[in-house]
């Protein structure tokens, strides 16, 4: 079969270019990207770290891994903080109070621990694939490449929409947080300011995004570590009131709540399960570090490093934080159920105020503000790169593949940024806010579908590697406990999806609106899958046909100079980051 021709199309005056496959594209397993002598046009890198990889789309809709004009500007410290800070947000600072009120201290703690194990399964599965094939959008490409192009289409569009519609939600939350200090200025003013700044950061480029996220995540991590330490001190009686709490609230009102007044083991289990489901949504975003792989320096080293460390850090921050608030605040406290995103509903603030400390609540509210802003910033980055990945796989119009000379997928960022304008629906009429809630409800389970698909894609990769004789010991990163961990993560994520709205089936709780809100994401995901399946008549990729070579990075390949610590403080920093 004839080899495809590739043409770089440069738009004069715009600085944007795109690689378009010529006629008669060949299957990508006919191209060896490792042979630079015979296929130099397939992989080349300039002195600025901009990689140009020619791409071709096969006859059955599968796309060869590749990028065009993507700048590898994210450093190791950026990746580490993005991996950690991506999940530390209002869910931990504020939302954890609702989980504590519903499940009790032990029920909530168990929910977060078990969910953390699922996150670990997802991350190690994703880590092995991402290190070997570090592409923009990563797991949407893996679903296409290792399972079925229709699955990649469904995952990509759902994931893009999920974060695109969450962007205005986080911007609104950040604006509302300011009401803790000032209620005279219209929320619309703050929405406009935050929207302009977030869009500005993302249009500057990935380096600006990485630097902004580094410092915002640094503040969040420092705060949660300080709160955990402070919580331990308060629990031992080191606060101004010198009240030694110990495990008082584990004894009274008790370790477990009774869900909706249902007594006995059934009520306690349902309370735990509700916390379990809420914990899963709190952890969503951990996978964002893989989206950055296509723009990371030395991904074969930085990605495994981030994957190995992020799980333990998140378990420390989340599980440590949940354990502390369970000791300091009784789950029967009415303050936990305040309907607000400000510090007033934070269990940490409740514990601090109870201890007689007056200054810290405002500081925590400031961190909550930073958390919401950081989440919105990451939402725009993640959704735009997911849309770019869909474009690279031929699942969106070709113009979305175009990047500036600085490596910014300009049209993907611009189109996604338009979703930020939905923020104004929340500050308008009540009916407009209701419409926006429906937009958000559609995206509720998209993150869980992403987790399940990541793990399933890995099982296919694992099986193909075993069948084709690929020695996983030679990979840059070999995930432990496989393939059992991947199956665990895949199945558990699906279980949570289908039981996340269990409360609506309890006697006296039926609500059509609630049922639709909890489950509308399921038919939407399936609908996307069927659209591509029927339109393109795709089939599941056979294990023997899965291409394990194209786009694979050599273990010793580097995109830039690797920093080596010399001084003792540099070595300490390297160990931490």
């Amino acid at each position: 079969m004839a080899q495809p021709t590739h043409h770089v199309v440069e738009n004069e005056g715009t600085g944007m270019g795109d690689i378009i496959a010529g006629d008669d594209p060949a299957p990508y397993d006919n191209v060896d990207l490792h042979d630079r002598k015979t296929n130099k046009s397939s992989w080349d890198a300039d002195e600025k770290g901009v990689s140009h990889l020619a791409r071709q789309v096969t006859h059955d809709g599968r796309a060869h891994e590749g990028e065009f004009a993507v700048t590898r500007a994210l450093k190791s410290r950026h990746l580490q903080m993005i991996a950690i800070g991506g999940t530390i947000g209002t869910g931990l600072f504020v939302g954890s109070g609702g989980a504590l009120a519903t499940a009790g201290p032990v029920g909530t703690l168990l929910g977060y621990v078990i969910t953390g194990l699922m996150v670990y399964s997802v991350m190690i599965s994703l880590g092995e694939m991402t290190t070997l094939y570090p592409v923009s959008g990563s797991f949407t490409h893996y679903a296409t490449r290792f399972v079925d192009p229709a699955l990649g289409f469904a995952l990509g569009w759902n994931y893009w929409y999920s974060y695109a519609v969450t962007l205005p939600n986080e911007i609104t939350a950040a604006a509302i947080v300011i009401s803790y200090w000032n209620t005279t200025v219209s929320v619309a003013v703050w929405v406009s300011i935050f929207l302009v700044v977030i869009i500005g950061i993302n249009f500057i480029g990935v380096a600006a995004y990485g630097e902004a996220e580094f410092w915002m995540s640094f503040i969040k991590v420092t705060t949660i570590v300080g709160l955990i330490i402070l919580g331990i001190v308060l629990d031992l009686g080191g606060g101004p009131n010198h009240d030694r709490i110990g495990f008082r609230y584990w004894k009274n009102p008790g370790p477990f709540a009774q869900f909706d007044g249902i007594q006995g083991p059934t009520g306690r289990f349902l309370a735990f399960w509700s916390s379990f489901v809420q914990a899963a949504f709190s952890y969503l975003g951990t996978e964002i570090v893989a989206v950055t792989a296509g723009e990371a320096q030395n991904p074969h080293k930085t990605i495994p490093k981030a994957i190995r460390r992020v799980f333990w850090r998140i378990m420390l921050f989340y599980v440590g934080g949940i354990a502390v608030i369970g000791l300091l605040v009784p789950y029967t406290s009415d303050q936990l159920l305040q309907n607000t995103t400000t510090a007033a509903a934070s269990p940490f603030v409740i514990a601090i105020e109870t201890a007689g400390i007056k200054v810290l609540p405002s500081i925590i509210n400031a961190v909550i503000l930073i958390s919401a802003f950081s989440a919105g910033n990451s939402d725009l980055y993640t959704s735009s790169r997911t849309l770019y990945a869909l474009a690279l796989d031929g699942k969106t119009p070709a113009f979305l593949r175009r990047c500036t000379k600085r490596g910014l997928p300009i049209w993907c960022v611009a189109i996604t940024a338009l979703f930020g304008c939905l923020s104004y629906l929340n500050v308008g009429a009540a009916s407009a806010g209701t419409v926006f809630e429906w937009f958000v409800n559609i995206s509720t389970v998209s993150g869980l579908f992403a987790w399940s698909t990541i793990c399933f894609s890995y099982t296919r990769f694992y099986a193909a590697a075993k069948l084709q004789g690929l020695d996983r010991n030679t990979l840059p990163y070999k995930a432990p406990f496989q393939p059992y961990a991947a199956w665990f993560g895949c199945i558990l994520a699906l279980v949570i999806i289908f039981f996340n709205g269990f409360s609506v089936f309890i006697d006296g709780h039926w609500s059509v609106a609630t049922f639709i809100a909890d489950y509308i994401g399921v038919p939407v995901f399936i609908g996307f899958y069927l659209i591509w399946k029927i339109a393109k008549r795709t089939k599941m990729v056979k294990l023997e046909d899965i291409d394990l070579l194209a786009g694979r990075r050599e273990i010793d390949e580097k995109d830039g100079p690797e920093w080596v610590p010399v001084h003792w403080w540099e070595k300490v920093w390297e160990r931490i980051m």
Side-chain angles (χ1 to χ4, degrees):
M1 184 177 293
Q3 292 294 323
T5 58
H6 298 86
H7 310 281
V8 178
V9 180
E10 188 75 25
N11 298 320
E12 295 183 4
T14 64
M16 293 184 293
D18 190 17
I19 286 185
I20 301 176
D23 297 331
D24 190 24
Y28 57 66
D29 56 358
N30 288 341
V31 179
D32 182 8
L33 295 185
H34 295 138
D35 189 353
R36 292 191 173 195
K37 294 181 180 179
T38 60
N39 198 23
K40 286 186 178 181
S41 63
S42 293
W43 188 283
D44 190 20
D46 62 21
E47 67 277 4
K48 296 181 181 179
V50 179
S51 59
H52 306 270
L53 181 59
R55 121 171 239 100
Q56 52 193 344
V57 181
T58 65
H59 61 282
D60 62 357
R62 285 182 288 128
H64 167 53
E65 182 273 317
E67 306 161 64
F68 175 72
V70 172
T71 303
R72 296 192 177 274
L74 290 177
K75 302 176 182 178
S76 177
R77 63 183 178 89
H78 294 150
L79 289 182
Q80 300 300 319
M81 277 300 177
I82 290 172
I84 302 169
T87 56
I88 298 177
T90 55
L92 177 58
F93 290 115
V94 180
S96 55
L100 177 62
T102 302
V106 176
T108 306
L109 186 60
L110 288 175
Y112 275 81
V113 169
I114 295 175
T115 308
L117 295 176
M118 177 175 64
V119 172
Y120 177 68
S121 299
V122 173
M123 293 304 291
I124 60 174
S125 301
L126 184 57
E128 185 170 321
M129 295 186 294
T130 303
T131 307
L132 197 58
Y133 311 104
V135 299
S136 295
S138 64
F139 41 83
T140 60
H141 172 75
Y142 304 149
T144 294
R145 183 170 182 167
F146 301 137
V147 187
D148 187 330
L151 184 62
F153 179 83
L155 174 61
W157 278 104
N158 273 269
Y159 199 76
W160 169 75
Y161 174 83
S162 172
Y163 277 96
V165 81
T166 304
L167 166 63
N169 201 36
E170 296 293 352
I171 290 175
T172 305
I176 293 175
V177 167
I178 296 183
S179 65
Y180 184 84
W181 299 296
N182 187 313
T183 58
T184 59
V185 179
S186 172
V187 173
V189 174
W190 301 117
V191 165
S192 300
I193 293 173
F194 293 143
L195 186 58
V196 169
V197 175
I198 287 175
I199 293 176
I201 290 174
N202 277 269
F203 267 108
I204 292 174
V206 67
Y209 163 77
E211 201 64 33
E213 281 304 301
F214 173 82
W215 290 110
M216 287 188 287
S217 296
F218 181 80
I219 292 172
K220 290 188 290 184
V221 170
T222 302
T223 301
I224 191 61
V225 170
L227 288 174
I228 291 174
I229 295 173
L230 176 62
I232 295 173
V233 172
L234 295 178
D235 185 68
L236 297 177
N241 58 9
H242 301 293
D243 180 18
R244 184 180 177 90
I245 301 173
F247 288 87
R248 178 190 306 167
Y249 299 129
W250 283 37
K251 299 176 182 178
N252 183 25
F256 290 92
Q258 302 291 148
F259 186 82
D260 197 40
I262 300 174
Q263 299 301 311
T266 301
R268 290 191 292 272
F269 174 78
L270 292 178
F272 152 74
W273 184 257
S274 66
S275 172
F276 182 52
V277 173
Q278 187 164 345
F281 290 109
S282 296
Y283 279 113
L284 290 178
T286 315
E287 74 286 346
I288 287 178
V289 65
V291 179
T292 67
E295 297 173 275
Q297 295 178 0
N298 304 321
H300 63 289
K301 290 186 178 294
T302 56
I303 295 296
K305 184 178 178 181
I307 295 295
R308 282 193 296 265
R309 295 180 179 181
V310 69
F311 168 75
W312 299 111
R313 291 169 177 174
I314 289 176
M315 286 290 283
L316 171 64
F317 302 145
Y318 267 92
V319 176
I322 293 298
V324 165
I325 65 173
L327 292 173
L328 298 177
V329 183
Y331 71 81
T332 53
S333 172
D334 294 335
Q335 292 175 280
L336 292 173
L337 299 178
Q338 296 182 67
N339 187 23
T340 177
T341 58
T342 67
S346 171
F348 294 102
V349 170
I350 295 172
I352 290 170
E353 290 180 337
T354 302
I357 302 175
K358 302 299 182 183
V359 180
L360 284 178
S362 288
I363 296 176
I364 296 175
N365 197 69
V367 176
I368 293 173
L369 173 62
I370 292 173
S371 298
F373 181 87
S374 172
N377 192 38
S378 292
D379 289 341
L380 180 53
Y381 172 83
T382 302
S383 52
S384 63
R385 284 353 183 240
T386 302
L387 187 60
Y388 179 60
L390 285 168
L392 292 180
D393 275 342
K395 296 181 174 65
T396 63
F399 78 92
L400 292 175
R401 296 201 302 265
R402 295 172 182 170
C403 296
T404 67
K405 290 182 178 180
R406 298 179 62 184
L408 179 72
I410 184 73
W411 294 113
C412 293
V413 176
I415 290 174
T416 306
L418 292 176
F419 275 73
C421 297
L422 293 174
S423 305
Y424 296 104
L425 290 177
N426 275 334
V427 299
S431 58
T434 301
V435 171
F436 180 71
E437 287 181 10
W438 282 99
F439 286 145
V440 175
N441 288 338
I442 295 176
S443 68
T444 302
V445 298
S446 295
L448 289 170
F449 270 122
W451 285 359
S452 182
T453 304
I454 287 168
C455 290
F456 185 63
S457 299
Y458 178 83
T459 64
R460 297 278 299 168
F461 164 76
Y462 181 93
K466 186 175 182 180
L467 178 66
Q468 298 182 28
L470 173 64
D471 185 1
R472 292 175 57 242
N473 291 314
T474 64
L475 303 185
Y477 172 67
K478 177 183 177 183
F481 313 118
Q482 296 291 15
Y484 310 106
W487 281 115
F488 170 75
C490 176
I491 295 172
L492 193 54
L494 290 176
V495 169
I496 295 175
I497 289 172
F498 289 105
F499 288 97
N500 85 91
F502 75 93
S503 62
V504 77
F505 298 105
I506 297 176
D507 289 342
H509 287 75
W510 174 256
S511 168
V512 175
T514 303
F515 174 80
I516 294 176
D518 290 335
Y519 291 105
I520 191 172
V522 176
V524 168
F525 186 90
I526 295 174
F528 273 111
Y529 176 82
L530 292 177
I531 287 173
W532 199 255
K533 190 79 173 176
I534 295 172
K536 299 297 182 178
R537 298 181 180 180
T538 65
K539 297 180 180 179
M540 179 175 285
V541 185
K542 295 180 181 179
L543 293 178
E544 58 269 23
D545 293 335
I546 290 178
D547 185 3
L548 300 177
L549 294 178
R552 176 180 171 182
R553 303 185 67 85
E554 297 295 346
I555 295 177
D556 60 349
E557 181 182 337
K558 292 181 174 62
D559 296 294
E562 187 175 352
W563 177 68
V564 178
V566 177
H567 304 290
W568 68 266
W569 60 85
E570 294 176 332
K571 294 179 180 179
V572 171
W573 177 259
E574 196 276 336
R575 293 294 298 175
I576 296 175
M577 297 305 301

